Amino acid sequence: MDAKVLQTVCRQVYQKHPEVRGVTPKVKPQTSTTFLLIFESKATTANGQTIRHTIRAVVSAEGKITKLTSSR
C-alpha cells in the first residue's frame, strides 16, 4: 500500500474515531486490490479498568474505505 494513500486513510479514520489518533495501523493485504487496516488503542475508565478499542478498516488500493467497524 502506498504511503500517501495510507496517510489519507488514516486521516479519515482519525476524524471519525479520535481515540485512535496517532496510532499506526497494522496493514494486512486481503486481496490484490484490498487491504485491512487495524488500529488498536487502550483507555482507562474512571474506576481504573483498561478498555481496548479496535478499529478495522477495509480499504481499496486507491484509498477508498469500503468498510469501517469498531469494537469497545
Side-chain angles (χ1 to χ4, degrees):
M1 177 172 241
D2 185 28
K4 186 175 181 181
V5 173
L6 179 63
Q7 188 177 31
T8 303
V9 171
C10 287
R11 230 180 280 125
Q12 293 174 10
V13 172
Y14 297 155
Q15 286 178 349
K16 287 191 173 206
H17 299 280
E19 62 273 7
V20 295
R21 181 163 293 167
V23 174
T24 304
K26 296 177 187 172
V27 179
K28 297 181 180 182
Q30 286 191 320
T31 65
S32 61
T33 59
T34 59
F35 297 89
L36 174 65
L37 277 60
I38 301 173
F39 299 82
E40 292 181 329
S41 68
K42 292 181 182 179
T44 305
T45 63
N47 62 357
Q49 292 183 335
T50 302
I51 296 176
R52 289 181 38 162
H53 194 139
T54 305
I55 307 292
R56 294 169 50 98
V58 178
V59 181
S60 69
E62 296 83 31
K64 182 178 179 186
I65 299 175
T66 56
K67 187 175 183 181
L68 187 65
T69 59
S70 67
S71 67
R72 291 187 184 222

